[in-house]
Amino acid sequence: MSLFMHIAQIYFRNRMVDMENLTLEQYYEGYLRMLRIRKFETRAEENHSKGEIPGALHTSLGQEAEVVGACMALKDDDYMVGNHRSHGHPIGKNADMKPLMAELYARKTGICGGKGGSMHLSDFSIGSLGETSIVGSGLPVAVGAALGSNMLGEGRVTLCFFGDGASNEGAFHEALNLAAIWNLPVVFLCENNGWAVSMPASKAVSVENIADRAAAYSMRSELVTDGQDFESVYIATKRAVDTARAGEGPTLVEVKTYRFAEHAVNMGRMLVDRGEELEEWLKRDPVEILRIKINEMVGDETRLKEIEEQVEREIEDALEFAKQSDFPDVADAFDDVYSERVSDFYGLS
Amino acid sequence: MARISFIESIRQAQYEELARDPKVFLMGEDLVANVFGTTTGLIEEFGTDRVRDTPLSENGFVGAAAGASMVGARPIVDLTITSFVYVAMDQVCSIIAKSKYIYGGQVKLPLVLRMCMFYGNSNAAQHSDRNYPMFMGMPGLKIIIPSNPYDMKGLLKTAIRDDDPVMSFEDGTLWSQKGEVPEGEDHLIPLGLADIKREGTDATVVAVAGGVPLALKAAEELSKDGFSIEVVDPRTLVPLDRDTIIRSVSKTGRVVVVDPAHQSCSAASEISAIIAEEAFESLKAPILRVTTPDTHLPFFPNGEKALLPSKHRIVSALKRLLN
Ligand SMILES: Cc1ncc(C[n+]2csc(CCOP(=O)(O)OP(=O)(O)O)c2C)c(N)n1
Ligand SMILES: [Mg+2]
């Protein structure tokens, strides 16, 4: 098949899927979830700097529209796989924030019982199949979830979040090829925030757009150039999700976005000077953009303010819950894994 | 000699070897931005060809190091955190460890894989591996595991000059530790030479990596009770200096082996087996291991701290032998 025919076919297929526009309720829902991420992470960062939260903290501040726009294109029982930048994904898929916050605080009531921490806020009750911190390791898992769901005749869609950096791992190639040859219901969502720690995507990726790589797998692609716009992300992802659900196979969605904070708080010397670029992106705050949009549509802030108050309360409750929870016992470190001979370590009872 | 940190000793070793031999080059993630502090001043001096940033493609660039070494270059690969080596296992185990052998010695692979063991600071199980024992089970790979800045620099320089592939396991808990380290080309420590970090007569502690400073503290504490503890640091696991270990155990008759890795098939297990085989007659008590139990390191700090070897656990083990 010529490249032209291939592109034409992708274009044609894309048109066949209905472009579903968002209802006002969905806009409000999007704002609610984005604001939750914003406040959850802002407070977590503050309290981390006070020494309340151990380990490193990878925030998705600046990427809220991309996360929530993609998650809202899913049904509740669809699956999702994420990565080290893990806080936004479960909140975007409407998880309860209390166990997420408690996990950051390393408490027994945390979503992973205090074993995972910031890089692993994975809530299986909302369809998460892991937030995995080895870059690229989630991609094959997402393929397997889609395969498994097909084998079981359930037809659930799997959304896989991964970064621009991850698209350079071998696992990316293997996962995309497998999904393509088996025509699996996966949506590969590349959160292209321009950087992998200190490495700009422009230097690490051989193509201009990561979405261009889909052609190598005869896979459909979507390129969202304005990832700060909730609606654009939603529409592109929804099209991919609908295509997957209709049995038409996987899509590679690339969303151009930006992380506002450093790669991770408290991870050695990871501070990288991104200069004016950062200043420019800070002017396009996804949460503000959506707020302005809704305000323009409705002309009344009442509901937005209610949402803002609601989120404040939810965050306070989550913090309260986390801080009042107990730390796990040392013995808990031996649960959830098959382990033998744990009683005879000297000085460890 | 100057007092420098563990990190600085790595930087100096790399700097000096890059300057000495134009065949040496360094590659890995986030080196140009100097995220870990081991490349300070290297870019300015050697440029971004010889100090080269890589994309997130571990299997690719570790394999590329193998290929480069086959044609005569001498790559140092900085894999940053040791857990990421799993992504490159194919190249490490099937190409790097085995090429010289399967091709009957026609080729050599003079390369170094550097890795930090990033444990003890709530980075959770996927980032906290102390996985050198896995590679002790893979012939064809030399392993250095220094416990202080002096050894780090001297061993890394030797590793870079070695004609076999060498893996360097660098203990993150030691990064900020300081010590006296010679400047200049000649500071080379041969692979396979253990170091007696403290002399003693009542019991031996064989300790590796971050276990060494803990063993020294334990020895100090027990000296207040009148016990004389010898601390032996093998410094390299492949080759392993059996003679020094056996000599020490033959003298003291009691031994604790300290190893931050998981207990089963740990370096401590191998060292214990060697002692049992070669110094059985001189043992007055069982060999004890102070290791990390066979469960993952959890994120929650109280759990992680409890599982890792500590001064307290080493003292307990020694007391059991001495009483
Ligand atoms: C296999 C592997 N290599 C290196 C790392 C260290 N690391 C963690 S996140 C990261 C950058 C990832 O970039 P990207 O995929 O673009 O995601 P982002 O952090 O930008 O969201 C790196 C290098 C890792 N966790 N796993
Ligand atoms: Mg990125």
Side-chain angles (χ1 to χ4, degrees), chain A residues 163-165 191-197 259:
Chain A
D164 46 288
E191 311 176 280
N192 185 351
N193 58 12
W195 292 83
V197 188
R259 70 172 151 73

Side-chain angles (χ1 to χ4, degrees), chain A residues 28-311:
Chain A
Y28 280 129
E29 183 66 25
Y31 183 66
L32 171 68
R33 295 189 194 183
M34 282 168 61
L35 195 65
R36 278 178 179 155
I37 299 176
R38 174 62 54 93
K39 298 282 176 193
F40 180 95
E41 294 198 313
T42 308
R43 291 302 297 280
E45 253 197 326
E46 279 167 26
N47 292 354
H48 184 277
S49 68
K50 291 186 210 154
E52 291 180 12
I53 293 173
L57 208 61
H58 298 69
T59 67
S60 36
L61 297 169
Q63 301 183 205
E64 294 91 342
E66 160 261 298
V67 172
V68 173
C71 285
M72 280 187 55
L74 296 176
K75 288 189 181 167
D76 284 349
D77 65 354
D78 283 335
Y79 293 118
M80 173 178 84
V81 177
N83 64 2
H84 57 283
R85 204 168 295 292
S86 82
H87 314 159
H89 303 147
I91 300 176
K93 206 164 181 292
N94 216 16
D96 179 1
M97 291 189 289
K98 289 197 199 80
L100 303 181
M101 191 65 91
E103 186 62 29
L104 292 186
Y105 274 77
R107 303 305 158 107
K108 207 177 173 111
T109 55
I111 191 68
C112 306
K115 289 196 176 84
S118 162
M119 292 192 278
H120 306 292
L121 296 192
S122 181
D123 181 348
F124 280 64
S125 74
I126 50 110
S128 173
L129 297 172
E131 296 283 332
T132 170
S133 69
I134 299 301
V135 171
S137 60
L139 287 144
V141 176
V143 172
L147 173 65
S149 180
N150 265 9
M151 304 280 274
L152 298 171
E154 290 174 347
R156 300 194 203 182
V157 173
T158 302
L159 173 68
C160 181
F161 287 106
F162 63 100
D164 46 288
S167 78
N168 297 320
E169 293 283 6
F172 169 87
H173 165 71
E174 298 184 22
L176 267 74
N177 188 59
L178 277 176
I181 59 166
W182 290 338
N183 198 40
L184 295 173
V186 197
V187 176
F188 297 102
L189 193 128
C190 182
E191 311 176 280
N192 185 351
N193 58 12
W195 292 83
V197 188
S198 71
M199 176 61 105
S202 58
K203 282 193 186 164
V205 181
S206 64
V207 282
E208 192 182 334
N209 300 306
I210 288 163
D212 297 345
R213 289 182 165 169
Y217 309 98
S218 296
M219 189 184 290
R220 272 174 295 281
S221 69
E222 297 276 353
L223 177 61
V224 182
T225 49
D226 186 3
Q228 307 310 84
D229 180 47
F230 162 73
E231 188 181 1
S232 306
V233 182
Y234 172 84
I235 289 172
T237 314
K238 184 70 166 57
R239 202 151 50 211
V241 168
D242 289 346
T243 306
R245 210 181 305 283
E248 304 259 325
T251 304
L252 173 59
V253 182
E254 176 185 4
V255 182
K256 307 267 198 207
T257 180
Y258 208 74
R259 70 172 151 73
F260 286 173
E262 59 189 301
H263 172 75
V265 189
N266 187 30
M267 210 154 189
R269 315 160 21 115
M270 297 258 179
L271 212 56
V272 173
D273 183 10
R274 292 175 291 165
E276 279 173 25
E277 186 187 291
L278 172 61
E279 298 306 313
E280 284 307 307
W281 277 92
L282 283 172
K283 290 180 194 152
R284 305 211 62 244
D285 181 328
V287 182
E288 260 172 45
I289 289 172
L290 183 56
R291 192 181 198 283
I292 291 167
K293 196 174 208 170
I294 296 176
N295 214 0
E296 278 170 1
M297 286 192 299
V298 185
D300 177 9
E301 290 198 336
T302 317
R303 182 79 186 274
L304 290 170
K305 289 203 165 126
E306 277 169 21
I307 289 174
E308 284 150 14
E309 280 162 24
Q310 178 191 338
V311 171

